[in-house]
Amino acid sequence: MSTHHSSPSPTRPERAWPRFWARQFDYAICWGIATGTAGLLGMASPVRLPNLLIVIAIGAMLVGVLHLVYEALMLTVFGTTIGKSVFGLRVQTRHGRKAEFSRFFRRSLGAWLWGSYAYVLFPLATLFAWKKSYDEFRLNGRTYWDKQSKTRVIGAVLPLWHLSAGAALTIAAFGMILMSLTAGRADNAAPSTSLTQSTPPPAAATESAAVAASAAAANSAQIGALQNGNAVFLPNSAQKSFAIKAPPARPSSNKSAEELAIWAERTYPYFVADGPERRAMFAWMIAGTRVGLPRGAALALGIDTVFSGRENGSGVCWPAELPPDRMPKEVASGPEKAVLGIRCER
């Protein structure tokens, strides 16, 4: 028995916009799934504005593949997707039945390849594909992928307010995703801001340096030197010499200070609270830059030194002024060869 007469809405050109916005709504959902998963897996990295277009262009193709699978599965199980349900649309065979996965997959594949050109050269080629598909729909009353898969999209014609509200919701979803890429999902905050907030103010840094110098003058025997990746103390010192090692999976010292600070705060809770470990880490960064190290390398040295001091039981280790008789003659050329004084507190 034919169901064409009972269909709530035959294929008509004015139904193009609900279908378009439904597809974009689903695409926004897939972007959200992709970015959220990347964040949970620790794969998200800060995206600066100059690189944003490149990230979007590459991400559009990858998310397009996710959208292809998402749509085929949703249509197979429910006969609609989240986006299509928002706009009151369902997909079925021409005879009003729910199709099997293979047919829906062919339909979604056609929409991906012909309806968006697989998002290659996004957004220019994609805009051309959308315009071409729209013209075909107006001319024939159906899309290429519905024709090839022998499916149709049904649903009541929406009032203008419903269509406008759905379109606004879709745009807002994409806006939130764009903000998460540029201004930071919870774990992707702007690095420069993070470091600015994390770095102790100059007055506090000066006070820390003064305290370190005072302690060094009071008990110079407790002051050692950083040389060739080791903290070396005098034989009669209460402190024991130890090797300075990088924590597992620490980013390269060639990375920016912002990236290293964010990694340290995520990985070790004692670097987050405003305690001695955090202050010592930034004190090492200040001391390292004074002897000629780049900020990133100097901060890496601070992370490594604080981590190693805690691991071997020496406590929190701070930079200190070396007594004149222990001032080495080498010139620091890298974090592993930095020549600085060190003082540890349990």
Side-chain angles (χ1 to χ4, degrees):
M1 178 178 177
S2 174
T3 58
H4 290 286
H5 296 291
S6 61
S7 174
S9 60
T11 52
R12 299 170 62 182
E14 61 264 27
R15 289 177 48 75
W17 283 113
R19 293 180 59 161
F20 172 80
W21 287 114
R23 179 165 292 275
Q24 302 318 307
F25 193 96
D26 286 326
Y27 193 52
I29 290 175
C30 292
W31 264 104
I33 294 172
T35 54
T37 302
L40 290 175
L41 296 177
M43 298 169 60
S45 58
V47 178
R48 294 179 175 84
L49 289 178
N51 300 325
L52 184 59
L53 291 179
I54 298 176
V55 171
I56 291 177
I58 297 175
M61 292 185 289
L62 299 178
V63 176
V65 177
L66 175 62
H67 185 199
L68 167 65
V69 178
Y70 156 86
E71 184 178 56
L73 287 174
M74 290 288 290
L75 291 178
T76 302
V77 177
F78 302 107
T80 187
T81 63
I82 297 175
K84 285 179 173 56
S85 65
V86 169
F87 291 87
L89 302 175
R90 296 184 65 82
V91 183
Q92 57 185 214
T93 68
R94 294 178 186 173
H95 301 291
R97 301 188 183 95
K98 193 163 77 170
E100 65 280 2
F101 176 80
S102 59
R103 182 182 300 199
F104 279 136
F105 185 82
R106 287 196 304 271
R107 180 186 185 277
S108 299
L109 183 63
W112 182 56
L113 292 175
W114 298 103
S116 62
Y117 291 164
Y119 297 98
V120 176
L121 299 180
F122 181 86
L124 297 180
T126 305
L127 290 173
F128 179 79
W130 289 346
K131 178 63 168 59
K132 184 178 178 181
S133 299
Y134 175 74
D135 291 341
E136 180 184 5
F137 187 80
R138 290 190 60 189
L139 181 64
N140 301 322
R142 58 180 174 174
T143 60
Y144 169 83
W145 46 93
D146 279 321
K147 178 181 177 181
Q148 293 299 313
S149 61
K150 298 180 180 179
T151 56
R152 61 175 180 162
V153 180
I154 63 170
V157 177
L158 299 180
L160 181 59
W161 71 265
H162 190 155
L163 180 62
S164 301
L169 185 61
T170 303
I171 294 172
F174 275 113
M176 293 177 62
I177 293 168
L178 184 62
M179 290 177 60
S180 74
L181 290 173
T182 56
R185 283 181 319 230
D187 54 330
N188 200 21
S192 59
T193 303
S194 174
L195 187 62
T196 300
Q197 296 173 347
S198 301
T199 307
T206 303
E207 182 180 350
S208 298
V211 171
S214 176
N219 189 5
S220 63
Q222 302 302 314
I223 297 177
L226 292 190
Q227 288 184 276
N228 297 318
N230 295 289
V232 181
F233 293 89
L234 293 177
N236 62 339
S237 173
Q239 296 288 345
K240 303 300 180 183
S241 301
F242 60 89
I244 297 175
K245 299 179 180 180
R250 173 179 63 71
S252 167
S253 60
N254 294 326
K255 297 288 186 180
S256 67
E258 289 86 354
E259 290 180 75
L260 286 160
I262 291 172
W263 177 88
E265 292 170 1
R266 288 183 193 162
T267 310
Y268 296 99
Y270 53 74
F271 282 127
V272 178
D274 187 23
E277 292 88 351
R278 181 186 179 86
R279 294 197 297 271
M281 175 178 69
F282 286 109
W284 280 109
M285 184 184 76
I286 295 171
T289 54
R290 286 176 179 169
V291 299
L293 292 177
R295 288 177 74 230
L299 188 62
L301 176 64
I303 295 171
D304 297 351
T305 305
V306 173
F307 169 80
S308 300
R310 284 178 54 99
E311 287 295 302
N312 65 48
S314 295
V316 180
C317 297
W318 297 75
E321 290 187 12
L322 281 170
D325 60 336
R326 272 185 261 162
M327 189 72 69
K329 298 179 180 180
E330 301 97 310
V331 177
S333 59
E336 74 283 354
K337 296 181 180 179
V339 179
L340 294 166
I342 179 172
R343 173 179 55 86
C344 298
E345 298 175 347
R346 289 190 175 86

